[in-house]
Amino acid sequence: MITRCPAADNAPDQIHTHRLVGVLKLELRGITKRFGSLIANDHIDLVVEPGQVHCLLGENGAGKSTLMNVLYGLYDPTEGEILIDGKPVVFKDPGQAMAAGIGMVHQHFMLIPVFTVAENVALGNEATKAAGLLNLESTRRKIRQISEQYGFDVDPDAVVEDLPVGVQQRVEIIKALVRDAEVLILDEPTAVLTPQETDELLDIIRQLKRDGKSIVFISHKLREVKDISDTITVIRRGKVVGQAEPTASPTELASAMVGRAVSLTLDKAPAKTGEVTFKVRHLTVIDHNSQHVVDDLSFDIAKGEVLAIAGVQGNGQTELTEAILGVQPHASGSITLDGEELLGRSVKHVLGAGVGFVPEDRTLDGLVGTFSISENMILDLYDKAPFARGVGMKPGVIADNAAKKVEEFDVRTPSVSAAVGTLSGGNQQKVVLARELSRPLRLFIASQPTRGLDVGSIEFVHKRVIAERDHGTPVMIVSTELDEVMQLADRIAVLYRGRLVGIVPATTSRDVLGLMMAGVPANEAEASVAAHSDSRPTPAAVPDAAGREGETHV
Amino acid sequence: MSATSQPPASQRTTDGPAQSSGPAGVKTGTAELVSWKAGIGLGLLAVLGVILFGFLANTKTAGFRIAEARDPNASTAAAWVTLVVALAAAAYLGYLWTNRRRTGAAVGRWIPATTVAAVVVLGLAALGVARVEKIALPSMALGWICSVLLLAMAAYACFLTLPHRRIPGWLGGVFAVVFLIGFMVWIVAGGRDAEPSISLGGLMAGAVTLAVPLVFGSLSGVLCERVGVVNIAIEGQLLLGAFSAAVVATVTGNVYLGLVSAAVAGGLVSLVLAVVSIKYLVNQIIVGVVLNVLISGLTSFLFSTLLTADPQHLNKPGRLEPVDIPFLVDIPVIGPILFRQSLVGYLMYVAVIVVYVGLFHTKWGLRVRAVGEHPQAADTVGINVNRTRFRNVLMGGAVAGIGGSFFTLVSVDAFSKDMSGGRGYIALAAMIFGRWNPIGAFLAALLFGFADNLQSIITIIGSPVPSQFMAMLPYALTVIAVAGLVGRSRPPAASGIPYVKG
């Protein structure tokens, strides 16, 4: 199913059926981008046919975003050329790329939070009256027109920071459409969306495709890629490694992406749960705007089970873990571990009580980038024997400890004295895990444990988490990746706007979890999904129908 | 709000009653963060007011002179016209305000503000029509009235805080006005004379005059920070502007050339700031401070070696004389304050309006603000971030330079060492107090000018407070203003952060 490189031999006259007025064909030839000694893109060839959804599939750090930033004029390519309808073009800045009909929705939205929708859409492309005075009315009109055409429901005068991410993404799409984009690049567009919002987005993409737009869809999520694409190009370590049809199996695609055979399923024995030792009662966290970011949360975790906290990013997960760890000042309620109250105690006390914690941002909160691996391994134990002697430290013992851990956790590094910042994401995460799992734990919390990791490291981290569970430790996983939640969890707790929507068994279906992540209580979500599956036996087989259903029921 | 993140309508209605019943609602209330900041702050000020205006009051009267018109007939005519115009404006704005409130339409912040302004103008015009020359207020009685009002308002604020209600915005404003009246009466009554009095017109006119360099400085700050560059070098820009205005105006014998050279000098300081901080990514605050010290040293050196040696040919600039705007200048109190200004003073009004309209109503302003908030987003829509920053920083420098020319071409007739005297930093405070908005910065600068002038007038009439202590007034006000009286003010998000592409 996967044809090998080079991809550029795709003859342009094979596809004619969708060609409409104004559509354009985009071609990248031999694009190379170097940052110093690092080669982010290595002679990449790519052809985006008009009216096609072309997926770029690759792991984090494979060079997908760099390639698109080159195409969009944000980076100058070191080598290679971009052709539009066969003619070579050079984009000095994004303005020129836009003028040529290329629009981009970045992974991190490029919207100014304090501006209104209309101001954001107008920016860089402003209609003016006399003397350079802004004419936002014409922009508002265009926004309303596009909103109507695609069913967006966007208020031109809403301030962007008040809008949910799903709507912000639509504003980004409007921004591109107002500028008459014919090729739309979507960089990891589903990373911040709930499954239902993802379905809606895919539906919008199909609609855009019908209007003759070409879409470049960048993702590492196989499910979406298979669902939406016409052609798939797989990128690994900056190189195009092959082309695939959407009918290829997920294992095939994953293997192409990673470069070796991978197993996408995690083998784990059923949980042998013991007594309940970790209890959270009526936990409430209030932020500086007096908003209840964690609202009256109560749950238990028993020994030897994994409770996964699911939810779209920004629904209180960060504050929940911060409250347990003791870095959240405005928390009330009760958190007990083996009957001991942890809320209100210092971080040092909490860690001393046997809590292991993998923070969601390892470079910011988990590691000190300029410190060596051996120093990072003892960040929490530096003042305890055997690493400390009075006010001094014992460098020999610290280095030996690091060497042992590096071996055990398979950290790929030239030396334990190398700065942690020089390691790859996967190896950094292994250092964090090695540190946190090397103490006798009574509770293990991992927040986004595999964010930004390659498939190989993900396997390793997941196995370690399950090993800790089987060791009899209560484990709490916080993840926004539904796949990860469903793989690791014994029970799943869904958070929405700081509230607990419900705790459901790990066998709960994706659709139900998706609805719960949008705030629908478990029983209603189940009823709703059951009602729909009656009228729609195989949703995957008829994607358009599935999309329309999605629209009507939300 | 999109439909995506909400459950279906039918389901919402069913889960509604279940959610709202029981202890859930109660818990929300108890967990609320209670801020006693306003209550405690107002309470302390009220106690201070009671001690000063009440217990420490004397039995004298405080006099405020009003009518000092050169031509009483013209003044009366102007007063009548102003009275009618202000009455009409106040009535219309009041109607607009109540009407919008009743219909639930959005009431812009400008409506209450301009209404209050119109009423104040109306009152002053009425005084002019009635040819009132002087208001004399018994300090003891008024002091106690103010004290009681202040205590009442502080108590009301605490009363509102208890059940977690919001303290309305007007409370702070009224409190400030009452405190100011009490303070003025107390301090004037404490003068040396038997019937001490000050000229209200003189007080205000002096305030505007002293505010001119501050306004230019804070506009420079607004121009730079809105585009993401912190301009600490305002002090240096003012000083070099003053210096070059003096020298060029003396050498060429043309004050207007002096004015232009001041703008160029301010721009030069900005050029260094822009090159070093935007191109070479050096910390903007450090560059700014270094520039200030550098320019202070440079001008002091040139002053003592060249200017003092030959002041006749190097440091004797002509003056930009005040120009009266016919008719408007005859309006009682307000006329001489606003419409008897030098060219630099009128340029100030123009600059405030141009920068305000430019920032918030033009294509240029939209791009500038975008660059200051989220430069990467601006870059992705084809705006050249660093070029925009460069241009704005240069513009800011030129504006501050013009402000500097005020020192040597308007207020004093020669350059002297470090004559900007830290006003660049006060301008920075005015910009923050004014929430990075040109009009806000203008009003804040006026407030600082007022404090500055009040201090010098009080020193002249004598006061119960030592003059050195009064000299702290503008700076104390700065600290209070910047520390939190402004509430939650939000600087441009990218301010101070250099932009590196990619």
Side-chain angles (χ1 to χ4, degrees):
Chain A
M1 212 58 98
I2 296 175
T3 57
R4 289 291 146 193
C5 232
D9 60 7
N10 230 349
D13 52 356
Q14 277 176 353
I15 296 164
H16 283 300
T17 44
H18 283 293
R19 192 168 265 276
L20 302 169
V21 183
V23 299
L24 57 85
K25 181 184 156 172
L26 181 75
E27 210 176 330
L28 301 181
R29 270 194 205 151
I31 297 286
T32 300
K33 175 69 191 172
R34 286 196 195 90
F35 296 103
S37 62
L38 178 85
I39 302 178
N41 293 150
D42 190 357
H43 295 93
I44 289 189
D45 297 316
L46 193 72
V47 182
V48 183
E49 300 287 350
Q52 250 199 5
V53 178
H54 193 127
C55 283
L56 281 185
L57 182 66
E59 294 201 86
N60 287 307
K64 298 164 294 180
S65 296
T66 309
L67 182 67
M68 288 304 114
N69 283 334
V70 167
L71 170 59
Y72 193 58
L74 278 168
Y75 298 155
D76 294 325
T78 316
E79 276 170 49
E81 58 179 356
I82 302 165
L83 294 94
I84 286 182
D85 290 331
K87 284 191 279 293
V89 286
V90 176
F91 300 139
K92 284 255 170 275
D93 60 61
Q96 294 178 355
M98 277 184 292
I102 296 171
M104 181 156 175
V105 176
H106 296 261
Q107 188 175 359
H108 306 285
F109 298 148
M110 292 297 167
L111 297 171
I112 287 126
V114 296
F115 280 17
T116 64
V117 170
E119 284 174 326
N120 265 295
V121 171
L123 186 67
N125 188 28
E126 304 89 346
T128 50
K129 296 182 277 199
L133 289 175
L134 278 178
N135 181 6
L136 283 179
E137 199 40 57
S138 72
T139 311
R140 286 194 194 101
R141 218 168 25 238
K142 278 187 200 157
I143 294 171
R144 283 195 204 100
Q145 186 193 330
I146 291 173
S147 293
E148 218 161 277
Q149 189 181 346
Y150 292 99
F152 278 176
D153 185 27
V154 173
D155 172 15
D157 291 313
V159 175
V160 162
E161 64 186 345
D162 300 336
L163 297 174
V165 275
V167 179
Q168 291 190 12
Q169 190 170 54
R170 288 163 192 208
V171 176
E172 283 277 31
I173 294 174
I174 292 174
K175 244 169 89 179
L177 293 179
V178 161
R179 289 166 169 81
D180 298 320
E182 292 300 332
V183 178
L184 200 60
I185 306 166
L186 301 169
D187 190 358
E188 299 277 3
T190 59
V192 289
L193 302 182
T194 62
Q196 271 68 28
E197 284 177 317
T198 303
D199 285 346
E200 290 185 354
L201 175 71
L202 297 188
D203 207 41
I204 290 167
I205 293 174
R206 288 188 193 99
Q207 220 176 330
L208 289 166
K209 185 175 127 182
R210 270 200 293 279
D211 291 351
K213 314 272 185 204
S214 334
I215 313 286
V216 180
F217 186 93
I218 302 175
S219 183
H220 65 272
K221 294 187 183 172
L222 302 172
R223 188 187 313 273
E224 297 150 11
V225 168
K226 275 172 60 64
D227 195 5
I228 194 73
S229 60
D230 295 313
T231 309
I232 301 171
T233 298
V234 185
I235 294 184
R236 187 171 75 229
R237 289 191 199 138
K239 286 185 181 149
V240 173
V241 292
Q243 300 268 321
E245 295 295 319
T247 45
S249 77
T251 322
E252 238 178 318
L253 288 173
S255 306
M257 197 160 88
V258 182
R260 59 181 171 79
V262 287
S263 102
L264 289 174
T265 50
L266 178 72
D267 297 325
K268 66 169 191 193
K272 288 192 270 298
T273 46
E275 55 172 326
V276 171
T277 53
F278 181 63
K279 291 179 184 162
V280 172
R281 289 289 175 274
H282 303 299
L283 182 67
T284 298
V285 176
I286 297 167
D287 72 357
H288 53 89
N289 291 329
S290 296
Q291 295 292 313
H292 291 235
V293 280
V294 173
D295 200 355
D296 197 19
L297 223 57
S298 298
F299 60 86
D300 296 328
I301 307 180
K303 280 185 156 183
E305 77 159 341
V306 175
L307 177 77
I309 309 281
V312 182
Q313 199 169 351
N315 276 290
Q317 299 96 321
T318 309
E319 290 80 4
L320 169 63
T321 53
E322 283 176 351
I324 297 173
L325 200 65
V327 289
Q328 187 45 260
H330 303 298
S332 58
S334 149
I335 298 169
T336 53
L337 182 60
D338 289 332
E340 187 197 359
E341 178 64 49
L342 292 183
L343 196 67
R345 308 305 298 263
S346 69
V347 178
K348 205 172 171 91
H349 183 95
V350 173
L351 293 179
V355 177
F357 178 64
V358 176
E360 59 183 36
D361 188 335
R362 59 183 159 270
T363 51
L364 203 66
D365 301 320
L367 298 165
V368 182
T370 52
F371 280 18
S372 70
I373 292 173
S374 37
E375 285 167 327
N376 272 290
M377 288 279 191
I378 53 142
L379 278 185
D380 51 345
L381 297 171
Y382 66 95
D383 57 347
K384 305 233 164 48
F387 306 118
R389 183 205 301 119
V391 294
M393 296 205 292
K394 293 179 175 172
V397 179
I398 292 170
D400 289 347
N401 168 63
K404 212 173 75 214
K405 298 280 169 54
V406 161
E407 180 77 32
E408 186 189 343
F409 282 82
D410 190 27
V411 182
R412 311 267 167 85
T413 171
S415 140
V416 292
S417 55
V420 134
T422 61
L423 301 182
S424 73
N427 283 314
Q428 288 185 356
Q429 192 72 331
K430 285 177 186 170
V431 173
V432 176
L433 276 177
R435 182 181 70 216
E436 297 301 326
L437 292 177
S438 58
R439 293 179 283 137
L441 293 184
R442 291 197 286 162
L443 172 68
F444 180 59
I445 303 172
S447 203
Q448 312 292 357
T450 59
R451 178 180 281 174
L453 299 195
D454 55 285
V455 174
S457 302
I458 291 174
E459 273 183 293
F460 182 87
V461 172
H462 283 181
K463 279 188 185 143
R464 277 287 168 175
V465 170
I466 294 304
E468 192 60 32
R469 179 199 75 167
D470 294 342
H471 199 251
T473 309
V475 176
M476 183 174 121
I477 298 291
V478 178
S479 179
T480 51
E481 297 271 349
L482 206 43
D483 288 320
E484 178 169 75
V485 165
M486 293 171 72
Q487 266 186 19
L488 287 177
D490 299 313
R491 287 188 301 147
I492 301 173
V494 183
L495 283 190
Y496 176 69
R497 300 206 176 155
R499 280 178 174 272
L500 190 63
V501 181
I503 299 182
V504 290
T507 49
T508 311
S509 80
R510 272 186 92 75
D511 292 344
V512 173
L513 286 172
L515 279 174
M516 289 175 70
M517 283 162 75
V520 183
N523 50 353
E524 288 174 25
E526 259 159 38
S528 161
V529 169
H532 280 292
S533 55
D534 286 345
S535 60
R536 200 181 76 203
T538 47
V542 266
D544 270 348
R548 249 176 269 126
E549 294 276 274
E551 239 172 42
T552 49
H553 82 121
V554 290
Chain B
M1 189 67 220
S2 96
T4 50
S5 50
Q6 286 187 354
S10 58
Q11 293 173 358
R12 275 182 78 78
T13 46
T14 52
D15 74 21
Q19 291 271 319
S20 59
S21 65
V26 181
K27 194 153 275 135
T28 313
T30 52
E32 208 74 45
L33 281 183
V34 180
S35 171
W36 284 92
K37 214 159 62 178
I40 292 171
L42 293 186
L44 285 177
L45 282 173
V47 170
L48 182 74
V50 171
I51 294 170
L52 292 181
F53 318 152
F55 290 112
L56 289 179
N58 58 23
T59 49
K60 292 190 219 172
T61 58
F64 297 94
R65 294 194 300 279
I66 300 206
E68 281 157 292
R70 279 179 289 190
D71 180 353
N73 289 331
S75 177
T76 311
W80 273 110
V81 174
T82 316
L83 185 74
V84 173
V85 171
L87 194 62
Y92 174 70
L93 286 166
Y95 165 76
L96 208 63
W97 192 0
T98 48
N99 200 32
R100 288 206 184 176
R101 278 192 79 139
R102 207 179 51 227
T103 55
V107 182
R109 253 190 324 170
W110 62 275
I111 295 184
T114 40
T115 310
V116 171
V119 170
V120 170
V121 171
L122 184 68
L124 289 172
L127 289 176
V129 168
R131 295 202 178 187
V132 176
E133 289 192 350
K134 182 175 162 186
I135 305 175
L137 300 168
S139 68
M140 184 69 91
L142 210 80
W144 278 111
I145 293 172
C146 287
S147 306
V148 170
L149 283 175
L150 291 177
L151 281 176
M153 275 187 279
Y156 182 56
C158 293
F159 170 73
L160 284 181
T161 313
L162 271 174
H164 316 300
R165 293 234 299 276
R166 276 183 62 83
I167 293 168
W170 59 264
L171 191 70
V174 175
F175 189 94
V177 169
V178 172
F179 192 91
L180 184 70
I181 292 173
F183 181 76
M184 293 289 293
V185 168
W186 172 67
I187 203 113
V188 171
R192 267 181 245 99
D193 301 348
E195 277 186 15
S197 71
I198 61 166
S199 157
L200 211 52
L203 178 66
M204 302 301 290
V208 175
T209 310
L210 286 172
V212 171
L214 296 181
V215 172
F216 277 104
S218 55
L219 283 181
S220 167
V222 168
L223 280 170
C224 294
E225 292 225 1
R226 278 287 181 178
V227 86
V229 178
V230 177
N231 184 4
I232 301 282
I234 298 172
E235 176 76 5
Q237 291 160 348
L238 287 175
L239 194 59
L240 199 66
F243 179 82
S244 66
V247 174
V248 172
T250 315
V251 171
T252 61
N254 185 333
V255 282
Y256 300 103
L257 277 179
L259 191 63
V260 173
S261 81
V264 173
L268 273 179
V269 179
S270 263
L271 185 68
V272 180
L273 173 70
V275 170
V276 177
S277 70
I278 298 173
K279 192 160 177 6
Y280 295 107
L281 314 177
V282 181
N283 183 305
Q284 296 165 359
I285 291 169
I286 291 175
V287 179
V289 171
V290 166
L291 277 173
N292 288 342
V293 177
L294 176 77
I295 285 158
S296 166
L298 180 73
T299 51
S300 299
F301 164 72
L302 291 175
F303 174 72
S304 43
T305 52
L306 297 177
L307 266 51
T308 41
D310 188 5
Q312 205 58 32
H313 293 104
L314 286 173
N315 196 9
K316 203 169 185 310
R319 286 194 69 171
L320 282 166
E321 294 299 335
V323 182
D324 289 0
I325 295 186
F327 184 72
L328 291 178
V329 80
D330 291 322
I331 301 170
V333 189
I334 306 158
I337 297 171
L338 297 181
F339 303 110
R340 181 175 293 151
Q341 295 285 343
S342 63
L343 177 62
V344 180
Y346 292 119
L347 272 180
M348 169 183 80
Y349 299 137
V350 175
V352 170
I353 293 165
V354 166
V355 173
Y356 176 77
V357 173
L359 269 183
F360 295 105
H361 296 285
T362 68
K363 175 173 156 179
W364 167 79
L366 190 70
R367 293 180 171 204
V368 163
R369 285 184 291 137
V371 167
E373 290 287 345
H374 193 338
Q376 216 183 346
D379 198 356
T380 56
V381 290
I383 296 167
N384 188 327
V385 172
N386 284 342
R387 190 191 299 158
T388 311
R389 288 190 165 180
F390 221 98
R391 213 169 38 200
N392 257 51
V393 172
L394 287 190
M395 254 188 287
V399 167
I402 294 175
S405 75
F406 173 86
F407 293 116
T408 44
L409 298 183
V410 181
S411 83
V412 189
D413 55 3
F415 182 82
S416 62
K417 252 186 188 177
D418 286 331
M419 71 188 304
S420 52
R423 283 187 183 76
Y425 300 110
I426 302 269
L428 216 52
M431 172 196 76
I432 296 169
F433 196 12
R435 299 188 183 193
W436 290 267
N437 179 320
I439 300 210
F442 172 69
L443 295 176
L446 281 185
L447 183 66
F448 290 134
F450 178 81
D452 206 357
N453 197 38
L454 183 65
Q455 172 269 120
S456 58
I457 287 181
I458 285 166
T459 313
I460 293 166
I461 65 161
S463 98
V465 186
S467 66
Q468 290 84 353
F469 199 83
M470 286 306 297
M472 281 172 28
L473 197 60
Y475 306 98
L477 200 60
T478 308
V479 171
I480 294 169
V482 175
L485 206 104
V486 266
R488 204 171 79 93
S489 66
R490 190 154 123 175
S495 186
I497 305 163
Y499 181 64
V500 189
K501 208 170 159 136

